[in-house]
Amino acid sequence: MLAQPGGGDPAERHLLPWRSLAVHLSPLIGESGFGALYGRTGRLLAQQYGWLTVSPSSQTLDALFRTLKEDLARAEPAQAALANEALLTTFTRLLSDLIGTALTTRLIDSAWHSAQAQNNAGEQK
């Protein structure tokens, strides 16, 4: 999910996998569950990436993503990419611990294929 096509705002490209995951996970764990999992992820990585804002998990997903985008936009591009990868990896590991590896894999595959279909539709315009 990290391999997004070039062009456009780099910070916004980093959010594409997060938005896709939110669409697929929110019906299962709710927006508050997604926010709680994201918040835990941020707290686990706060020391390694001190410039990332650890947001309260009670925020809306739009607010969480806006904060993440702002944090990633302020970072050096290589650091932003590493932090986003660490966030996604930690988030999916925590999700897997919560709901199991098989379901996590199916959800991520579904989110990935959905994101790819949206990218392909945008490229065909």
Side-chain angles (χ1 to χ4, degrees):
M1 290 189 76
L2 292 170
Q4 298 298 327
D9 178 14
E12 187 60 39
R13 275 197 320 272
H14 288 306
L15 294 183
L16 293 175
W18 288 108
R19 293 186 195 286
S20 188
L21 283 172
V23 165
H24 287 83
L25 292 177
S26 292
L28 290 173
I29 63 175
E31 284 193 18
S32 60
F34 188 97
L37 203 55
Y38 179 85
R40 175 72 178 140
T41 299
R43 285 186 294 282
L44 288 172
L45 295 173
Q47 215 172 4
Q48 185 176 356
Y49 299 99
W51 47 268
L52 282 174
T53 303
V54 179
S55 302
S57 57
S58 60
Q59 286 186 339
T60 66
L61 294 182
D62 285 339
L64 288 174
F65 295 152
R66 186 173 40 254
T67 301
L68 177 59
K69 180 180 178 179
E70 290 167 358
D71 288 347
L72 294 174
R74 283 192 302 265
E76 293 292 324
Q79 278 298 307
L82 287 173
N84 196 47
E85 181 178 353
L87 285 165
L88 285 163
T89 300
T90 302
F91 183 91
T92 55
R93 182 177 44 81
L94 291 172
L95 180 65
S96 182
D97 291 347
L98 182 67
I99 65 173
T101 303
L103 183 54
T104 300
T105 301
R106 285 201 325 255
L107 288 168
I108 290 173
D109 284 347
S110 178
W112 167 247
H113 292 301
S114 175
Q116 285 300 100
Q118 289 175 350
N119 286 340
N120 290 340
E123 290 174 3
Q124 292 176 358
K125 288 185 180 181

